[in-house]
Amino acid sequence: KTHRVASFEALARWDHAELGSISPAEFIQTAEHLGLIGQITRSLLTRTLEVAKKWPDNYRIAFNLSPLDVTSPEAAIRIVAIANASGINPKRVRFEITETAIVSHMDNAKAAIALFKQFGARVAIDDFGTGYSSLSQLHRLPWDYIKIDKSFITDILSNETSEKLIK
């Protein structure tokens, strides 16, 4: 309604000198496979929060977490420690967790979400509708937002079923 910026989303991108632009789907998956995703998450989160602290206090930041970031209790604790050490108001932070992270390790994901919310951050379930979670599983989690996968939105004007689902 106000046409004002309210929030930014931090997205990891990699432009390799020889290979060119590498898709996040490729390098994030590779980093997870090699056990490097935690290090990447911590580095990017630190840099993101440093930048966000310079913005007006009413601007929020969304930060995507890897499934491994939310299925490891130690990783979730480190993420909160970084956010806390940054000095940023936790209400300005939204952690985004993919549906697949939740499905694969429901108990650990639930504990991580509770920790993020205890810190004061918001939590979004990202890409909902691409995995196998059910509404009953979502009902068990203390999330703040659901980001519906774009596949439900792209044909909303021409597909009655998509329109009904979104409504």
Side-chain angles (χ1 to χ4, degrees):
K1 284 182 172 180
T2 65
H3 298 281
R4 292 185 190 157
V5 172
S7 180
F8 290 94
E9 182 173 1
L11 299 170
R13 297 294 181 257
W14 184 14
D15 291 320
H16 189 277
E18 295 174 16
L19 302 175
S21 181
I22 300 174
S23 159
E26 292 179 55
F27 74 81
I28 296 295
Q29 184 178 24
T30 301
E32 289 172 342
H33 180 73
L34 295 173
L36 299 173
I37 195 64
Q39 182 181 347
I40 291 171
T41 296
R42 292 188 301 273
S43 175
L44 293 176
L45 181 60
T46 300
R47 290 173 53 197
T48 297
L49 295 176
E50 285 173 8
V51 170
K53 275 182 60 173
K54 298 174 186 174
W55 301 339
D57 289 341
N58 59 325
Y59 285 20
R60 295 180 307 273
I61 183 69
F63 189 87
N64 292 287
L65 296 174
S66 158
L68 296 177
D69 294 327
V70 295
T71 58
S72 160
E74 296 81 14
I77 289 168
R78 284 192 290 267
I79 288 165
V80 169
I82 289 168
N84 190 45
S86 77
I88 197 166
N89 182 342
K91 293 186 184 318
R92 295 177 60 197
V93 178
R94 182 176 72 221
F95 291 116
E96 299 195 354
I97 303 167
T98 62
E99 175 187 359
T100 54
I102 294 164
V103 173
S104 60
H105 298 288
M106 177 61 85
D107 291 336
N108 286 351
K110 188 175 182 179
I113 292 170
L115 181 64
F116 299 149
K117 291 189 60 70
Q118 182 180 359
F119 167 65
R122 303 289 186 259
V123 175
I125 307 303
D126 201 5
D127 295 332
F128 183 74
T130 59
Y132 300 101
S133 69
S134 66
L135 292 176
S136 65
Q137 287 176 311
L138 285 179
H139 190 282
R140 296 173 38 203
L141 298 168
W143 50 269
D144 298 292
Y145 306 94
I146 294 180
K147 292 177 66 178
I148 299 169
D149 185 67
K150 69 180 180 178
S151 64
F152 291 100
I153 305 296
T154 54
D155 63 351
I156 194 169
L157 296 176
S158 61
N159 184 328
E160 189 177 319
T161 303
S162 290
E163 182 180 0
K164 286 178 185 177
L165 276 170
I166 300 306
K167 283 182 178 178

